[in-house]
């Protein structure tokens, strides 16, 4: 599954993770952290639903002393997270090919990217899942697996943006897409 949630607003954005207009793509679960998985478009069947992953535990990035700057205007860096079928972050990769995420490519922002990657490495999610309902009992809210005959946890890829800035001498971070 692939879902985008990175934004370039100075304040956090809310992403409706239960929308049914999300592009669903299946990641190959057999590809390890070093490979690049084949992404295939997946069309939900009439008796299937999709539950987005829900963040259970996720501390914000902490920059600490690794960034010596005394001033920092709002700077957004983005990560693509690959979340496995158990809800653990398998890996995170900087997203630099989007204009709203390009700050992650600047060498002086490496401490921000590193802080974001360290934080997301310990995030835990209720995993994404394909919900298989009996044809005669498909609920109107197909983003909720309650009442499904079978729930199939699936890996997913999500984009997250983190806006860092220094306010009154302190690093402040706002997460986007969660």
């Amino acid at each position: 599954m692939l879902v985008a949630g990175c934004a370039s607003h100075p304040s956090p954005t809310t992403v409706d993770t239960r929308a049914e207009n999300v592009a669903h793509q299946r990641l190959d679960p057999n590809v390890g952290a070093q490979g690049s998985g084949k992404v295939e478009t997946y069309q939900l069947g009439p008796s299937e639903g999709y539950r987005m992953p829900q963040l259970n535990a996720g501390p914000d990035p902490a920059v600490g002393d690794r960034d010596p700057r005394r001033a920092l205007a709002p700077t957004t860096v983005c990560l693509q997270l690959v979340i496995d079928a158990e809800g653990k972050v398998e890996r995170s990769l900087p997203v630099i090919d989007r204009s709203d995420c390009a700050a992650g490519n600047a060498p002086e922002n490496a401490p921000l990217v590193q802080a974001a990657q360290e934080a997301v490495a310990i995030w835990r999610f209720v995993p994404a899942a394909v919900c298989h309902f009996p044809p005669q009992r498909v609920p109107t809210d197909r983003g909720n697996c309650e009442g499904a005959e079978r729930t199939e946890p699936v890996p997913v890829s999500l984009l997250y943006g983190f806006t860092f800035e220094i306010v009154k001498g302190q690093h402040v971070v706002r997460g986007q897409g969660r």
Side-chain angles (χ1 to χ4, degrees):
M1 307 287 167
L2 179 66
V3 181
C6 181
S8 64
H9 303 286
S11 61
T13 57
T14 302
V15 175
D16 181 4
T17 60
R18 298 174 70 95
E20 290 193 32
N21 61 349
V22 171
H24 296 81
Q25 296 180 318
R26 214 169 256 231
L27 295 179
D28 183 347
N30 299 317
V31 176
Q34 300 302 316
S36 60
K38 181 179 178 188
V39 179
E40 298 174 8
T41 300
Y42 181 77
Q43 181 69 37
L44 290 174
S47 63
E48 292 179 325
Y50 175 73
R51 179 187 71 206
M52 289 290 293
Q54 299 297 315
L55 185 60
N56 257 352
D60 286 331
V63 178
D65 294 336
R66 74 179 92 192
D67 187 356
R69 292 180 277 197
R70 299 278 184 233
L72 178 65
T75 302
T76 300
V77 299
C78 303
L79 297 177
Q80 177 182 11
L81 309 185
V82 175
I83 302 162
D84 68 18
E86 295 176 2
K88 296 177 189 165
V89 176
E90 182 180 292
R91 65 184 177 270
S92 65
L93 304 167
V95 176
I96 56 173
D97 60 347
R98 295 173 48 127
S99 61
D100 49 350
C101 299
N105 199 31
E108 65 272 15
N109 294 327
L112 309 180
V113 173
Q114 182 182 5
Q117 286 185 300
E118 288 173 1
V120 301
I122 59 174
W123 284 9
R124 296 297 177 261
F125 292 82
V126 173
V130 174
C131 318
H132 301 273
F133 296 98
Q136 65 278 13
R137 292 190 325 185
V138 177
T140 54
D141 179 5
R142 295 190 321 155
N144 183 342
C145 287
E146 189 173 320
E149 284 183 332
R150 182 171 59 91
T151 302
E152 175 188 358
V154 292
V156 66
S157 176
L158 299 175
L159 298 180
Y160 277 87
F162 299 92
T163 300
F164 294 85
E165 77 179 298
I166 296 178
V167 178
K168 297 181 182 177
Q170 299 293 316
H171 273 278
V172 177
V173 63
R174 293 182 301 265
Q176 301 168 344
R178 64 179 179 130

